[in-house]
Amino acid sequence: MRYLEVLSAAHEVDALAIAGSRPALAEALARMRRLAGGSCFEHFLHEAALLEALDDLQSGDDPAGDRLRAALRRARADGFLYTNLFRWSRALRMLLGRALELDIERDYVLG
């Protein structure tokens, strides 16, 4: 069942992003994008972009939050609402807290 595969991949990406496991994260992100892309589960691609931004922020590769800014801008433009995956994950708090610190998409983040 495709939904369970996408959901499993999304949970794996979430855990790897939080843990900072970069090589495994890249592979899991590719799998998640391959499973979700071109399907009714494309909204998971927003989560993939946001979790990739979290990884960049944590690693110091993107201290200004450019990837986070781009991911949040796309999410807002598409009307993305944070889905069930992020409701239990601390990744959402980490990302949105950092977005507020960097003054990124403040209205969307607070809305």
Side-chain angles (χ1 to χ4, degrees):
M1 177 181 250
R2 174 66 60 103
Y3 173 69
L4 294 178
E5 292 176 297
V6 173
L7 189 60
S8 175
H11 283 282
E12 180 183 14
V13 167
D14 180 81
L16 292 170
I18 290 170
S21 301
R22 297 195 99 187
L25 176 62
E27 184 179 316
L29 277 164
R31 183 172 49 259
M32 181 179 171
R33 287 182 170 124
R34 188 173 55 254
L35 288 166
S39 75
C40 62
F41 305 113
E42 280 199 335
H43 61 277
F44 280 93
L45 298 179
H46 288 294
E47 291 181 7
L50 288 165
L51 290 166
E52 193 169 38
L54 175 62
D55 179 60
D56 280 355
L57 287 166
Q58 290 185 136
S59 69
D61 285 355
D62 187 16
D66 292 333
R67 188 180 294 245
L68 178 58
R69 182 175 287 104
L72 286 172
R73 188 174 295 134
R74 280 191 310 273
R76 180 179 44 82
D78 288 350
F80 175 72
L81 301 174
Y82 308 109
T83 59
N84 213 22
L85 171 67
F86 276 151
R87 289 184 184 167
W88 61 266
S89 172
R90 68 180 178 166
L92 183 62
R93 292 186 307 272
M94 296 165 72
L95 282 164
L96 298 185
R98 190 70 178 127
L100 291 174
E101 289 173 4
L102 296 171
D103 198 30
I104 297 172
E105 294 290 335
R106 182 172 291 279
D107 292 339
Y108 177 62
V109 168
L110 292 173

